[in-house]
Amino acid sequence: MLQFRMKKEAVQTTRRQFLIGTAAAAGLAVGYRLLATEPALAQSAPAAAAANPFQAYVEVTPDNKIIIHSSQFEMGQGSYFGIATLVMEELDGDWAQVDVIGGAGNTALYGNLAWGGAMQGTGGSTSMTSSWERYRKAGAAARTMLVAAAAKTWNVPAGEITVAGGVVSHGTDKRASFGELAQAAAALPVPEVVELKPREKWTQIGSDSLKRYDSHGKTNGTQTYTIDLKMDGLVTAVMIHPPKFGAEVESFDAAKAKALDGIVDVVQTPRGIAVVGTNMWTAMKGRDLVEVKWNEAKAENRGTAEIMAEYNKAADGPGAATARNDGDAAGALASAAKVVEGHYEFPYLVHASIEPLNAVARVNEDGTIDVWGGHQMPDIYQAAAAQVGGTTPDKVKLHVMKTGGSFGRRAVADADLIVEAVATAKALGPGKPVKVQWTRENDMRGGRYRPAYVHAIKAGLDKDGKIVALQDHIVGQSIMNGSPFAAMMKDGIDPTSVEGASNLPYAIPNMKIELTTSDVNIPVLWWRSVGSTHTAYVMETFIDELAAAANRDPVEFRLSMLENHPRHAAVLKLAAEKAEWDKPLPEGRFRGVALHESFSTFVAEVVEITYKGGSDFTVDRVVCAVDCGTAINPDQIRAQMEGGIGFGLGAILQEELTLTGGVVDQENYDTYTPLRIDQMPRIEVHIVPSTEPPTGVGEPGVPPIGPAVGNALRAATGKTIRKLPLIKNLSA
C-alpha cells in the first residue's frame, strides 16, 4: 500500500509548527508534530537515527481501518487508549476501526515533547502531555482531508458534509466510509492549519462512559505480548548472571549442557551467559549444567545492613551538595521553641512486573536486525542494538510490543536486555531468531532497583506552632550518574534523588535540602514515581508529626501553609471532604492524610485503617483526590489511581530487597511480596475538574499512599514509623 507521508518544512520562529509532506497513496497517513523550543534533554540525550523519516501518526487504510502510530509505549498504563481518544475526538471515527501500534525509529516525529523532543521515550507520566496537541491535530487533519475528498468526489461544498462514526455524509443520499475515501484523500495536500474542536463540543475527551478499546484482548487472552511471540525457527535463551553485581565471567564449561538434547548453543554475552534451547524448559535444564567461574574483583560484597549503617553515619554529617537553601535553616533551628528530628530508612525495591523481562532478536541475511520487545526508550535501544550487532541504527528495526508491566524497568540507559538478545542472535548467525526470556529469579536478582535511602531530618516550631525551619539530608545512590542523563545533573545533584523534597510546597521560611550520593555497585533505576517514593513519605509523615507537636489538625495545618499553592489546597480539601475528615470514626479505626505533587499532578489521599495492636492492622478505605489537568479518560484516570495506590501500598507495607555479602536474598513472589488481593482496600477516586493541559496519572497515585497509612498508624499508636517496610518495623 502506498501511503500519504510527511516531509519536513522550514523551521518557523513560533513554538509549534507542522511537519507536513505528501506522496501518492491508496491509503491516507497524516502526522502533525509540535516542536518545543526549549529542549530539556537536547544537551543530554544521545543522537538518534531517523529511520522511516516520514512515518505518520494516523493512517486510514482502504479496508477502513484507523491505525494510530503511538509515540508512547504501552505497558498497561493506557497510553494507547489516551492517544487514540485524542485522535478520535477530532477524526470522528468508529472505535471498532481503531488499532494502535507502537512507532519507533524516528525521533523527529516521535520525540517526547515533555522532554524537549530530543529523544523518544515513555516515562515520568508524560505520555498525555507530549501527545495532547499533536495527535488531536493529526486527527483533525485526517478528517479535513477525508471531507475534502468527499466534497470533490460529490461536487458539494465541504461545509455541508458531516462526519460521525467513521462515515462521511452529505444529506441522506451520499455516504462513504473512511476507507472508501482514503485513496482520494491521499491525493490532496495536508492542510497547513487545522481547527480543533472547542471544549464544549468534545464527545470523547472527558467522557465518563468511554472505556478502553483494548480491554477484550487483555482479558480473553488474544493480546500478544513478547512472551507469546512465535515465528519460524524461534529458539529460547535463558540467562546466567553473576551472583554478585560487578562480577564478570572468567571462564565457563558448557560441555554437559551442550550434550543435552535440545540445547542449541551456549554463548557469552556482555553481562553473563545465554543458554539457548529449542524451548524454555530445555534451556533451563541446560542452564543448570553450565559451570561458571566468576571474577569478583570488582564485585559489590557489602550487604544491605552494612550499606544502611554507612548511610546513617553519612546522614549525620554535612551534605555533599545542596539542592535547596532558603533563608537560614541552621540559625532558625537554633532559636526554635521546639525541635523535632529523626532518621528515616528506605530499602531497595524491585519493579516486579507480571511479565518478566524478555526480547526477541534476529540478525537477517542482509545485515539488518529485527528486535521485538517492550521498547520504552527506542532511540537508545536502536543505537545499542546496532553497536552490538556491528551495524548502524538505520539497519535496526524495532517492533514495539505491548508489555505486561514495566514501572520503569524497561527504560534502561544501557539497554541491558536488548544487548543480551542481539548478542545472542549474532552468535547464532543470520536468520535465526532467539527469544531471551528472563525467569522471575533473573528479574528479581538482576538489578535495577529503586535505590535505598536514608534521610536525616529536623524541623523547628515557634511558640505559636508554626514551622520556622526544616532541614533534610538525603543519602543514597544516583540513578542518573554514569548514564546518558548525567548531563541533567547540576552541582552534584541528581534531581531524581531530591524531587518531592526540594520542591516542597509548604510555606516554610528557612529550608535546606542536602544530598550525599553514595558509591555502591548495585544497579539502580527509576521505579514508579522515582524520588517521590521516599521523599513524600518523609515529608508528609514529618509534617503530621509537627502538626501533633503544634496541637494542630493535620489538614488545617497543611492548608495554613498552602496559600500560594491553590491546586495543592484544592485536592487536599476535596479528599478531606469526601472522606468526612471531621466525622468521628468507630473505636479501633483511624485516619491518615497525605498530599503530594509529582510529575505536575496533584494528589491527596485519606486512609482509614483498623488497628488491632502490635503490627496487626488493615487498610480499609482510601479516598483519593487528583488534579491532572484536563481529564482525557476519566475511567482510566481512576484505574491508574487505584493501580498506583495498590502498587505503593504493597511497597510501603511489606516489600524489601536485601543483600547478604553482596548476594540478593529474594528470588520470587514468595520472598518478595507485592500486595496480595485480600490486602487491597476500597478506593474512591475524585477528579478535580480542570481546563489546564493534561498531565500524567501513571505514577502520581503512588507517593501519598505510604505516608497516609503511616499517619493513620501514628494516629493509632502515637509514633511515626521511620524505617520501612511498615509491617516489619511497626513494633520495632
Side-chain angles (χ1 to χ4, degrees):
M1 182 187 76
L2 296 174
Q3 291 188 328
F4 182 88
R5 296 299 189 195
M6 298 170 56
K7 64 181 180 182
K8 191 171 183 179
E9 297 286 354
V11 175
Q12 304 297 316
T13 57
T14 57
R15 180 172 175 81
R16 297 179 175 93
Q17 65 186 28
F18 298 140
L19 294 180
I20 307 170
T22 62
L28 170 68
V30 177
Y32 274 76
R33 178 177 190 267
L34 309 179
L35 294 181
T37 58
E38 301 166 335
L41 289 183
Q43 300 300 316
S44 59
N52 306 318
F54 303 125
Q55 187 164 357
Y57 295 134
V58 182
E59 186 179 338
V60 179
T61 67
D63 60 350
N64 206 31
K65 299 293 185 184
I66 299 170
I67 300 173
I68 299 168
H69 298 257
S70 174
S71 64
Q72 303 303 114
F73 169 52
E74 175 61 73
M75 48 192 140
Q77 82 280 34
S79 60
Y80 280 11
F81 177 42
I83 285 173
T85 302
L86 300 179
V87 171
M88 293 296 278
E89 181 63 74
E90 299 295 336
L91 184 55
D92 289 317
D94 186 332
W95 277 95
Q97 300 174 269
V98 172
D99 188 20
V100 183
I101 62 176
N106 191 330
T107 308
L109 281 178
Y110 298 138
N112 189 318
L113 300 181
W115 299 352
M119 67 175 291
Q120 184 182 1
T122 304
S125 295
T126 58
S127 290
M128 295 305 101
T129 301
S130 178
S131 306
W132 174 236
E133 289 194 17
R134 61 177 167 184
Y135 277 94
R136 284 191 296 150
K137 288 186 174 181
R143 183 185 190 278
T144 299
M145 296 171 71
L146 290 166
V147 168
K152 185 176 180 180
T153 301
W154 298 333
N155 195 26
V156 298
E160 295 179 3
I161 291 175
T162 59
V163 183
V167 176
V168 183
S169 305
H170 182 265
T172 59
D173 60 335
K174 294 182 175 65
R175 293 168 58 87
S177 69
F178 286 1
E180 290 170 326
L181 293 168
Q183 183 174 358
L188 300 175
V190 179
E192 294 191 16
V193 178
V194 292
E195 184 177 341
L196 299 178
K197 289 182 183 177
R199 185 177 291 263
E200 61 271 16
K201 291 189 177 181
W202 288 349
T203 61
Q204 307 293 310
I205 297 173
S207 170
D208 235 330
S209 61
L210 187 63
K211 307 301 180 185
R212 283 183 66 156
Y213 77 98
D214 57 352
S215 295
H216 291 294
K218 293 187 174 186
T219 53
N220 64 19
T222 58
Q223 175 63 59
T224 299
Y225 297 90
T226 307
I227 201 170
D228 304 314
L229 279 176
K230 295 179 175 63
M231 61 186 69
D232 290 343
L234 181 67
V235 293
T236 300
V238 297
M239 297 303 304
I240 302 174
H241 292 139
K244 294 182 180 181
F245 297 113
E248 299 174 339
V249 176
E250 185 170 298
S251 63
F252 69 97
D253 183 353
K256 293 178 182 178
K258 289 183 176 182
L260 184 67
D261 187 36
I263 293 296
V264 177
D265 204 351
V266 180
V267 300
Q268 186 170 342
T269 71
R271 286 192 64 212
I273 296 167
V275 181
V276 187
T278 53
N279 56 60
M280 188 165 182
W281 177 243
T282 300
M284 290 173 67
K285 289 198 296 183
R287 174 200 61 189
D288 296 338
L289 297 174
V290 178
E291 299 174 5
V292 187
K293 184 177 181 181
W294 301 100
N295 183 339
E296 297 185 350
K298 300 178 182 178
E300 177 60 70
N301 291 302
R302 287 172 291 182
T304 44
E306 294 92 337
I307 291 169
M308 297 308 282
E310 292 176 16
Y311 283 13
N312 275 290
K313 183 178 179 181
D316 284 330
T322 301
R324 180 173 178 176
N325 194 8
D326 299 344
D328 178 9
L333 283 166
S335 60
K338 183 181 291 188
V339 174
V340 180
E341 58 185 310
H343 275 216
Y344 286 79
E345 294 185 24
F346 298 86
Y348 289 101
L349 295 175
V350 181
H351 297 83
S353 303
I354 290 296
E355 182 182 14
L357 290 177
N358 46 29
V360 173
R362 182 182 64 210
V363 177
N364 301 308
E365 297 287 350
D366 62 0
T368 61
I369 301 172
D370 285 279
V371 186
W372 293 260
H375 301 311
Q376 195 168 350
M377 287 190 170
D379 297 345
I380 291 176
Y381 294 178
Q382 189 177 40
Q387 184 176 14
V388 173
T391 186
T392 54
D394 61 298
K395 301 296 184 183
V396 177
K397 180 175 177 57
L398 299 181
H399 304 265
V400 183
M401 303 294 294
K402 289 182 180 178
T403 298
S406 170
F407 312 120
R409 181 56 182 90
R410 291 181 181 264
V412 193
D414 67 1
D416 56 352
L417 174 70
I418 305 302
V419 167
E420 288 182 344
V422 176
T424 305
K426 183 180 179 182
L428 293 178
K432 298 178 180 179
V434 59
K435 179 192 297 179
V436 171
Q437 178 64 62
W438 284 24
T439 63
R440 180 70 61 199
E441 288 74 19
N442 286 142
D443 217 32
M444 291 280 183
R445 307 185 79 177
R448 317 297 177 165
Y449 308 121
R450 196 286 303 271
Y453 285 97
V454 165
H455 289 241
I457 190 169
K458 63 176 66 176
L461 298 166
D462 66 14
K463 60 182 179 60
D464 298 318
K466 294 181 180 179
I467 304 176
V468 294
L470 185 146
Q471 184 171 304
D472 185 23
H473 181 188
I474 304 170
V475 180
Q477 285 176 258
S478 167
I479 294 171
M480 288 185 170
N481 194 26
S483 80
F485 302 96
M488 294 181 66
M489 297 173 61
K490 294 181 180 179
D491 302 322
I493 299 290
D494 181 338
T496 69
S497 295
V498 299
E499 61 185 354
S502 60
N503 60 333
L504 194 69
Y506 300 117
I508 301 172
N510 305 284
M511 187 183 304
K512 189 173 186 179
I513 307 296
E514 296 178 288
L515 175 67
T516 295
T517 297
S518 59
D519 183 13
V520 180
N521 194 10
I522 296 175
V524 295
L525 190 64
W526 15 72
W527 185 93
R528 193 175 185 179
S529 69
V530 202
S532 291
T533 59
H534 57 100
T535 57
Y537 187 88
V538 171
M539 294 301 165
E540 285 299 291
T541 58
F542 203 62
I543 289 291
D544 246 51
E545 192 167 343
L546 293 171
N551 295 313
R552 303 270 294 275
D553 174 81
V555 172
E556 178 274 325
F557 189 60
R558 287 172 171 82
L559 289 173
S560 70
M561 298 183 287
L562 291 172
E563 183 178 348
N564 295 324
H565 294 275
R567 295 179 75 179
H568 289 82
V571 291
L572 179 58
K573 289 177 182 177
L574 180 59
E577 174 195 339
K578 296 297 184 181
E580 299 180 301
W581 178 261
D582 295 326
K583 183 178 179 180
L585 287 168
E587 185 177 353
R589 289 176 66 91
F590 301 89
R591 289 192 187 96
V593 64
L595 167 70
H596 194 72
E597 174 195 354
S598 57
F599 310 104
S600 301
T601 291
F602 309 85
V603 180
E605 293 171 10
V606 175
V607 162
E608 290 182 16
I609 69 168
T610 298
Y611 181 67
K612 301 175 184 178
S615 59
D616 188 3
F617 71 97
T618 58
V619 181
D620 305 313
R621 181 190 182 202
V622 180
V623 177
C624 170
V626 54
D627 176 358
C628 56
T630 297
I632 296 173
N633 300 122
D635 185 63
Q636 186 62 23
I637 291 169
R638 285 188 284 267
Q640 282 299 291
M641 289 295 111
E642 291 163 359
I645 287 167
F647 186 87
L649 183 59
I652 219 81
L653 290 179
Q654 59 212 30
E655 292 180 33
E656 178 183 31
L657 181 117
T658 60
L659 296 92
T660 302
V663 178
V664 174
D665 298 317
Q666 293 76 24
E667 290 189 332
N668 211 314
Y669 288 142
D670 57 338
T671 50
Y672 187 88
T673 53
L675 196 74
R676 291 347 193 195
I677 191 66
D678 61 352
Q679 294 176 291
M680 189 68 177
R682 177 165 57 94
I683 299 175
E684 306 162 27
V685 178
H686 303 275
I687 302 169
V688 175
S690 177
T691 58
E692 294 291 328
T695 51
V697 294
E699 297 169 88
V702 175
I705 185 62
V709 173
N711 290 335
L713 286 168
R714 189 179 196 288
T717 66
K719 69 174 183 177
T720 301
I721 298 91
R722 303 194 198 276
K723 185 176 181 179
L724 298 181
L726 284 173
I727 292 176
K728 178 180 177 180
N729 296 288
L730 180 55
S731 299

